[in-house]
Amino acid sequence: GQQLNQSPQSMFIQEGEDVSMNCTSSSIFNTWLWYKQDPGEGPVLLIALYKAGELTSNGRLTAQFGITRKDSFLNISASIPSDVGIYFCAGLGLYGGSQGNLIFGKGTKLSVKP
Amino acid sequence: DTEVTQTPKHLVMGMTNKKSLKCEQHMGHRAMYWYKQKAKKPPELMFVYSYEKLSINESVPSRFSPECPNSSLLNLHLHALQPEDSALYLCASSQVGASYEQYFGPGTRLTVT
């Protein structure tokens, strides 16, 4: 089945630093989504990408849909403490892309550098 | 408005109890979903409703029974659960189709004792 490889699994941030994470797949996706989840809460949609090569920003967040349709990355610029949490990438499949075929990466956990 | 609401926020139930989780959205979405999420894992799809009809059941045990009474509401009826069913249960909604983003509710933290 389709799988997403999300990296890094975890990272520590210091306020003001830029952060990058990415997702790759062996399969093609026609939509990439990035979510952030705080402990005990539901995932919040950050950015949705629909076209290969598309670059979309949401405040300090920027995400890109890879031109091969098999990868996506998320950048956070000038991180702040409230950026901590778990970030999930998710892809909607091109084939077998029936309703609800949302494939999640395993998440990237952002923590504050001690 | 991109809000999906879920009640209750927390639920503790015994293995012989019957309880229900509720989800509501007013975004005009005609697809609604139930996901189960264990700690430190991504959400796992359980059920999908499209136009109020069950379209996907990801081999979920019958002790979980979904219901979609109308286009805004989604219920998950629980009966004879096991301790391993303890998890965060998430509801989501989207437009119908294979390319539309899903919006999640805050979840119900379920503990089975």
Side-chain angles (χ1 to χ4, degrees):
Chain A
Q2 294 172 314
Q3 291 186 338
L4 293 185
N5 298 309
Q6 185 172 351
S7 64
Q9 281 189 321
S10 63
M11 57 193 311
F12 291 92
I13 60 172
Q14 197 156 39
E15 189 167 353
E17 286 182 339
D18 295 344
V19 171
S20 291
M21 62 191 77
N22 68 82
C23 267
T24 60
S25 171
S26 57
S27 303
I28 289 172
F29 287 97
N30 60 353
T31 300
W32 282 94
L33 307 171
W34 285 93
Y35 292 91
K36 177 177 184 270
Q37 187 173 25
D38 292 327
E41 299 293 328
V44 174
L45 182 65
L46 300 174
I47 292 179
L49 302 158
Y50 301 102
K51 293 181 183 178
E54 179 181 356
L55 186 70
T56 297
S57 294
N58 177 7
R60 295 178 295 105
L61 277 61
T62 302
Q64 185 159 27
F65 192 148
I67 56 173
T68 65
R69 308 177 77 93
K70 293 182 179 181
D71 60 347
S72 178
F73 72 76
L74 176 70
N75 284 347
I76 305 173
S77 63
S79 58
I80 59 178
S82 61
D83 289 334
V84 302
I86 300 178
Y87 291 78
F88 288 104
C89 62
L92 280 166
L94 183 61
Y95 298 111
S98 59
Q99 194 68 47
N101 191 19
L102 189 61
I103 310 299
F104 281 90
K106 292 187 176 181
T108 295
K109 183 178 180 181
L110 253 58
S111 304
V112 175
K113 197 174 287 186
Chain B
D1 181 10
T2 57
E3 189 176 62
V4 178
T5 59
Q6 289 186 246
T7 56
K9 180 72 172 172
H10 301 277
L11 179 62
V12 179
M13 61 185 290
M15 290 188 283
T16 58
N17 292 158
K18 287 184 180 181
K19 296 286 185 183
S20 296
L21 309 184
K22 296 185 183 303
C23 173
E24 189 168 7
Q25 59 88 14
H26 293 289
M27 293 179 276
H29 290 164
R30 300 301 295 276
M32 296 186 76
Y33 312 78
W34 281 114
Y35 287 84
K36 174 182 177 180
Q37 188 178 26
K38 301 287 271 185
K40 300 183 181 180
K41 299 286 187 183
E44 296 177 5
L45 183 66
M46 300 175 72
F47 302 104
V48 181
Y49 274 83
S50 179
Y51 296 112
E52 296 85 68
K53 293 191 188 314
L54 184 65
S55 61
I56 294 177
N57 175 342
E58 290 286 357
S59 303
V60 178
S62 60
R63 58 186 184 268
F64 296 91
S65 176
E67 178 196 21
C68 190
N70 61 54
S71 59
S72 301
L73 293 174
L74 186 65
N75 298 323
L76 186 63
H77 303 299
L78 314 172
H79 174 54
L81 295 193
Q82 304 297 310
E84 59 264 29
D85 296 321
S86 299
L88 182 67
Y89 287 83
L90 296 162
C91 173
S93 72
S94 76
Q95 298 182 53
V96 173
S99 301
Y100 296 104
E101 64 271 20
Q102 295 180 21
Y103 295 90
F104 285 84
T108 293
R109 172 68 62 189
L110 175 67
T111 303
V112 182
T113 61

